[in-house]
mmCIF file with all atom_site columns, all heavy atoms in Angstrom:
data_model
loop_
_atom_site.group_PDB
_atom_site.id
_atom_site.type_symbol
_atom_site.label_atom_id
_atom_site.label_alt_id
_atom_site.label_comp_id
_atom_site.label_asym_id
_atom_site.label_entity_id
_atom_site.label_seq_id
_atom_site.pdbx_PDB_ins_code
_atom_site.Cartn_x
_atom_site.Cartn_y
_atom_site.Cartn_z
_atom_site.occupancy
_atom_site.B_iso_or_equiv
_atom_site.pdbx_formal_charge
_atom_site.auth_seq_id
_atom_site.auth_comp_id
_atom_site.auth_asym_id
_atom_site.auth_atom_id
_atom_site.pdbx_PDB_model_num
ATOM 1  N N   . ALA Q 1 16 ? 21.973 -26.092 39.793 1.00 93.00 ? 323 ALA Q N   1
ATOM 2  C CA  . ALA Q 1 16 ? 23.519 -26.098 39.830 1.00 93.00 ? 323 ALA Q CA  1
ATOM 3  C C   . ALA Q 1 16 ? 24.191 -26.986 38.853 1.00 93.00 ? 323 ALA Q C   1
ATOM 4  O O   . ALA Q 1 16 ? 23.492 -27.555 38.005 1.00 93.00 ? 323 ALA Q O   1
ATOM 5  C CB  . ALA Q 1 16 ? 23.903 -26.407 41.328 1.00 93.00 ? 323 ALA Q CB  1
ATOM 6  N N   . HIS Q 1 17 ? 25.430 -27.245 38.961 1.00 88.00 ? 324 HIS Q N   1
ATOM 7  C CA  . HIS Q 1 17 ? 26.143 -28.015 38.043 1.00 88.00 ? 324 HIS Q CA  1
ATOM 8  C C   . HIS Q 1 17 ? 25.919 -29.473 38.145 1.00 88.00 ? 324 HIS Q C   1
ATOM 9  O O   . HIS Q 1 17 ? 25.601 -29.970 39.303 1.00 88.00 ? 324 HIS Q O   1
ATOM 10 C CB  . HIS Q 1 17 ? 27.733 -27.732 38.036 1.00 88.00 ? 324 HIS Q CB  1
ATOM 11 C CG  . HIS Q 1 17 ? 28.184 -27.980 39.519 1.00 88.00 ? 324 HIS Q CG  1
ATOM 12 N ND1 . HIS Q 1 17 ? 28.607 -29.242 39.945 1.00 88.00 ? 324 HIS Q ND1 1
ATOM 13 C CD2 . HIS Q 1 17 ? 28.516 -27.003 40.483 1.00 88.00 ? 324 HIS Q CD2 1
ATOM 14 C CE1 . HIS Q 1 17 ? 29.137 -29.077 41.274 1.00 88.00 ? 324 HIS Q CE1 1
ATOM 15 N NE2 . HIS Q 1 17 ? 29.068 -27.724 41.462 1.00 88.00 ? 324 HIS Q NE2 1
ATOM 16 N N   . ALA Q 1 18 ? 26.111 -30.282 37.191 1.00 80.00 ? 325 ALA Q N   1
ATOM 17 C CA  . ALA Q 1 18 ? 26.153 -31.649 37.305 1.00 80.00 ? 325 ALA Q CA  1
ATOM 18 C C   . ALA Q 1 18 ? 27.109 -32.258 38.298 1.00 80.00 ? 325 ALA Q C   1
ATOM 19 O O   . ALA Q 1 18 ? 28.062 -31.625 38.469 1.00 80.00 ? 325 ALA Q O   1
ATOM 20 C CB  . ALA Q 1 18 ? 26.179 -32.351 35.931 1.00 80.00 ? 325 ALA Q CB  1
ATOM 21 N N   . ASN Q 1 19 ? 26.827 -33.430 38.794 1.00 75.00 ? 326 ASN Q N   1
ATOM 22 C CA  . ASN Q 1 19 ? 27.769 -33.962 39.867 1.00 75.00 ? 326 ASN Q CA  1
ATOM 23 C C   . ASN Q 1 19 ? 27.981 -32.965 41.031 1.00 75.00 ? 326 ASN Q C   1
ATOM 24 O O   . ASN Q 1 19 ? 29.046 -32.652 41.447 1.00 75.00 ? 326 ASN Q O   1
ATOM 25 C CB  . ASN Q 1 19 ? 29.077 -34.302 39.159 1.00 75.00 ? 326 ASN Q CB  1
ATOM 26 C CG  . ASN Q 1 19 ? 29.026 -35.500 38.198 1.00 75.00 ? 326 ASN Q CG  1
ATOM 27 O OD1 . ASN Q 1 19 ? 28.180 -36.271 38.235 1.00 75.00 ? 326 ASN Q OD1 1
ATOM 28 N ND2 . ASN Q 1 19 ? 30.023 -35.451 37.290 1.00 75.00 ? 326 ASN Q ND2 1
ATOM 29 N N   . ALA Q 1 20 ? 26.740 -32.536 41.482 1.00 78.00 ? 327 ALA Q N   1
ATOM 30 C CA  . ALA Q 1 20 ? 26.771 -31.492 42.556 1.00 78.00 ? 327 ALA Q CA  1
ATOM 31 C C   . ALA Q 1 20 ? 27.379 -31.929 43.910 1.00 78.00 ? 327 ALA Q C   1
ATOM 32 O O   . ALA Q 1 20 ? 27.383 -33.159 44.182 1.00 78.00 ? 327 ALA Q O   1
ATOM 33 C CB  . ALA Q 1 20 ? 25.314 -31.069 42.878 1.00 78.00 ? 327 ALA Q CB  1
ATOM 34 N N   . ALA Q 1 24 ? 26.913 -26.899 46.080 1.00 90.00 ? 331 ALA Q N   1
ATOM 35 C CA  . ALA Q 1 24 ? 25.948 -26.664 45.056 1.00 90.00 ? 331 ALA Q CA  1
ATOM 36 C C   . ALA Q 1 24 ? 24.555 -26.920 45.584 1.00 90.00 ? 331 ALA Q C   1
ATOM 37 O O   . ALA Q 1 24 ? 23.678 -26.040 45.518 1.00 90.00 ? 331 ALA Q O   1
ATOM 38 C CB  . ALA Q 1 24 ? 26.175 -27.638 43.920 1.00 90.00 ? 331 ALA Q CB  1
ATOM 39 N N   . PRO Q 1 43 ? 20.591 -31.607 40.049 1.00 81.00 ? 350 PRO Q N   1
ATOM 40 C CA  . PRO Q 1 43 ? 21.228 -32.266 38.911 1.00 81.00 ? 350 PRO Q CA  1
ATOM 41 C C   . PRO Q 1 43 ? 21.796 -33.622 39.226 1.00 81.00 ? 350 PRO Q C   1
ATOM 42 O O   . PRO Q 1 43 ? 22.154 -34.384 38.292 1.00 81.00 ? 350 PRO Q O   1
ATOM 43 C CB  . PRO Q 1 43 ? 22.323 -31.240 38.547 1.00 81.00 ? 350 PRO Q CB  1
ATOM 44 C CG  . PRO Q 1 43 ? 22.682 -30.612 39.856 1.00 81.00 ? 350 PRO Q CG  1
ATOM 45 C CD  . PRO Q 1 43 ? 21.502 -30.534 40.626 1.00 81.00 ? 350 PRO Q CD  1
ATOM 46 N N   . ASP Q 1 82 ? 26.878 -22.048 41.600 1.00 93.00 ? 389 ASP Q N   1
ATOM 47 C CA  . ASP Q 1 82 ? 28.159 -22.655 41.707 1.00 93.00 ? 389 ASP Q CA  1
ATOM 48 C C   . ASP Q 1 82 ? 28.693 -23.141 40.354 1.00 93.00 ? 389 ASP Q C   1
ATOM 49 O O   . ASP Q 1 82 ? 29.509 -23.949 40.339 1.00 93.00 ? 389 ASP Q O   1
ATOM 50 C CB  . ASP Q 1 82 ? 27.879 -23.990 42.562 1.00 93.00 ? 389 ASP Q CB  1
ATOM 51 C CG  . ASP Q 1 82 ? 29.181 -24.373 43.257 1.00 93.00 ? 389 ASP Q CG  1
ATOM 52 O OD1 . ASP Q 1 82 ? 29.974 -23.658 43.653 1.00 93.00 ? 389 ASP Q OD1 1
ATOM 53 O OD2 . ASP Q 1 82 ? 29.469 -25.661 43.515 1.00 93.00 ? 389 ASP Q OD2 1
ATOM 54 N N   . THR Q 1 83 ? 28.344 -22.482 39.287 1.00 92.00 ? 390 THR Q N   1
ATOM 55 C CA  . THR Q 1 83 ? 28.930 -22.486 37.933 1.00 92.00 ? 390 THR Q CA  1
ATOM 56 C C   . THR Q 1 83 ? 28.316 -21.455 37.088 1.00 92.00 ? 390 THR Q C   1
ATOM 57 O O   . THR Q 1 83 ? 27.247 -20.977 37.331 1.00 92.00 ? 390 THR Q O   1
ATOM 58 C CB  . THR Q 1 83 ? 28.724 -24.058 37.333 1.00 92.00 ? 390 THR Q CB  1
ATOM 59 O OG1 . THR Q 1 83 ? 29.450 -24.041 36.129 1.00 92.00 ? 390 THR Q OG1 1
ATOM 60 C CG2 . THR Q 1 83 ? 27.206 -24.141 36.941 1.00 92.00 ? 390 THR Q CG2 1
ATOM 61 N N   . ARG Q 1 88 ? 28.178 -27.511 31.939 1.00 86.00 ? 395 ARG Q N   1
ATOM 62 C CA  . ARG Q 1 88 ? 28.121 -28.089 33.300 1.00 86.00 ? 395 ARG Q CA  1
ATOM 63 C C   . ARG Q 1 88 ? 26.640 -28.231 33.720 1.00 86.00 ? 395 ARG Q C   1
ATOM 64 O O   . ARG Q 1 88 ? 26.352 -28.676 34.853 1.00 86.00 ? 395 ARG Q O   1
ATOM 65 C CB  . ARG Q 1 88 ? 28.903 -27.411 34.352 1.00 86.00 ? 395 ARG Q CB  1
ATOM 66 C CG  . ARG Q 1 88 ? 30.352 -27.382 34.009 1.00 86.00 ? 395 ARG Q CG  1
ATOM 67 C CD  . ARG Q 1 88 ? 31.188 -27.233 35.239 1.00 86.00 ? 395 ARG Q CD  1
ATOM 68 N NE  . ARG Q 1 88 ? 31.265 -28.449 36.165 1.00 86.00 ? 395 ARG Q NE  1
ATOM 69 C CZ  . ARG Q 1 88 ? 31.678 -28.344 37.410 1.00 86.00 ? 395 ARG Q CZ  1
ATOM 70 N NH1 . ARG Q 1 88 ? 32.072 -27.256 38.022 1.00 86.00 ? 395 ARG Q NH1 1
ATOM 71 N NH2 . ARG Q 1 88 ? 31.703 -29.414 38.144 1.00 86.00 ? 395 ARG Q NH2 1
#
Side-chain angles (χ1 to χ4, degrees):
H324 57 80
N326 297 331
D389 206 32
T390 187
R395 300 201 74 196

